[in-house]
Amino acid sequence: MDVKEHLSFFAALYKVGDNPEAGMWMLYLTIFALSVLVYKLGFAKKLPILKSAVIYTFLALGCTVLTFLGIFLPVAEGLVVAALVLIIYKIRLYQAKKQEANSNL
């Protein structure tokens, strides 16, 4: 059985099967960046710096586990979809608020 056939899209893109060390780091950075984006778009509140540092530290630790799962499961792909949905939501929310402000004038 060839392992390369069962890799997720991003794992295959970063050639985790051929160059595991560099591929895993690239996959980790991708998952971490997408997780930060999803967190900022959907869940982030204005927090003091120390609390934000704690949140990002735990986010980085959680992304370590997600990276190992992301080799064969579509973790990064799911984060891309979540980010796209949240971006569309934010754009629609901005347009609705802008339209409401214009109608109140």
Side-chain angles (χ1 to χ4, degrees), residues 13-34:
L13 180 69
Y14 298 139
K15 297 183 182 4
V16 173
D18 295 334
N19 189 1
E21 188 171 340
M24 287 295 286
W25 278 110
M26 293 296 292
L27 185 61
Y28 173 77
L29 291 175
T30 302
I31 289 175
F32 181 70
L34 288 169

Side-chain angles (χ1 to χ4, degrees), residues 26-94:
M26 293 296 292
L27 185 61
Y28 173 77
L29 291 175
T30 302
I31 289 175
F32 181 70
L34 288 169
S35 297
V36 167
L37 180 65
V38 169
Y39 170 72
K40 292 292 265 182
L41 287 173
F43 307 104
K45 302 280 185 210
K46 199 73 164 153
L47 295 173
I49 293 175
L50 187 58
K51 288 182 181 179
S52 292
V54 169
I55 287 175
Y56 287 113
T57 301
F58 281 111
L59 188 64
L61 290 172
C63 286
T64 304
V65 175
L66 289 177
T67 300
F68 288 111
L69 293 174
I71 297 169
F72 296 111
L73 299 175
V75 174
E77 293 84 346
L79 287 169
V80 168
V81 171
L84 290 174
V85 168
L86 288 170
I87 288 169
I88 292 169
Y89 169 74
K90 289 289 185 174
I91 291 170
R92 298 279 308 230
L93 183 66
Y94 174 75

